[in-house]
Amino acid sequence: MNILVFLGPAGSGKGTQAQVLKDQFNYVHLSTGDLLREEVKSGSELGQKVQSVIHAGNLVSDDIILDIIRHHLKSLVAQQVKGVIFDGFPRTLDQANAFNDLLAEFQLSVSSVLYFNLSLDESIIRISGRQVDARNNKVYHKFSNPAPEEAQLHLITRKDDTPEKVTHRYNVYIEETSPLLSFYGDHVIQIDCLKSIQEITNELVQLLESFQLSR
């Protein structure tokens, strides 16, 4: 199983590209935000714990996130899926070390890390137009990647997608995540996010094929 890690600040397009690769190469796309929301929605004991933490205004601990990922990985290994894209995780050195230990439990390791490089100004511009299909969490943009007509009635805008909150999240992200570029070293492939969506998609497809990650 190939393990891809997508890193990048809000608006960098990593979610959009992950969806493309999911559809084209039959990879599984795991976003920690989506996993947490699904766990809460399931009403499981762990989901109730996550909900209580979020309602208290606290961050979900690494241990809880890793438990959720472990549960999903166990199922994916049993299904013998060809690859998994981790979108936004890990994002700190502590998480990266714990993630390596977790993967080792399944005799797996990170294959490649794709870093979507984006400036703060561009991040704000992109987030202000972002829309999400509430049915399947597909991400669109009002101008650069508009949703199809049939999805229009299901589009939502996330509450934290304001310039002030985007700026705060961007600065925290860069501070926390930049050390991972050294941590993963030669595994890191930088993506220029100023290119068009199709240009980036073509680049990623070529990378996957050249590294034989699509097999």
Side-chain angles (χ1 to χ4, degrees), residues 106-122:
F106 299 94
Q107 298 183 323
L108 297 171
S109 62
V110 172
S111 305
S112 286
V113 176
L114 303 184
Y115 180 64
F116 292 73
N117 200 354
L118 189 72
S119 70
L120 171 58
D121 289 343
E122 187 65 24

Side-chain angles (χ1 to χ4, degrees), residues 64-84:
I64 291 178
I65 294 175
L66 287 164
D67 280 345
I68 294 174
I69 292 176
R70 178 181 286 106
H71 171 75
H72 282 269
L73 267 181
K74 183 177 181 180
S75 173
L76 296 175
V77 168
Q79 297 173 46
Q80 297 183 329
V81 301
K82 66 163 60 175
V84 182

Side-chain angles (χ1 to χ4, degrees), residues 16-81:
T16 298
Q17 296 298 334
Q19 186 63 47
V20 171
L21 298 183
K22 171 186 174 182
D23 294 340
Q24 186 162 343
F25 292 103
N26 199 27
Y27 273 31
V28 174
H29 175 206
L30 294 184
S31 163
T32 50
D34 291 343
L35 291 179
L36 290 173
R37 284 187 284 271
E38 289 174 8
E39 199 66 42
V40 170
K41 187 176 180 180
S42 74
S44 68
E45 182 177 347
L46 184 57
Q48 293 175 26
K49 186 175 181 179
V50 170
Q51 188 173 37
S52 65
V53 170
I54 295 175
H55 281 177
N58 298 318
L59 294 176
V60 178
S61 70
D62 291 351
D63 288 343
I64 291 178
I65 294 175
L66 287 164
D67 280 345
I68 294 174
I69 292 176
R70 178 181 286 106
H71 171 75
H72 282 269
L73 267 181
K74 183 177 181 180
S75 173
L76 296 175
V77 168
Q79 297 173 46
Q80 297 183 329
V81 301

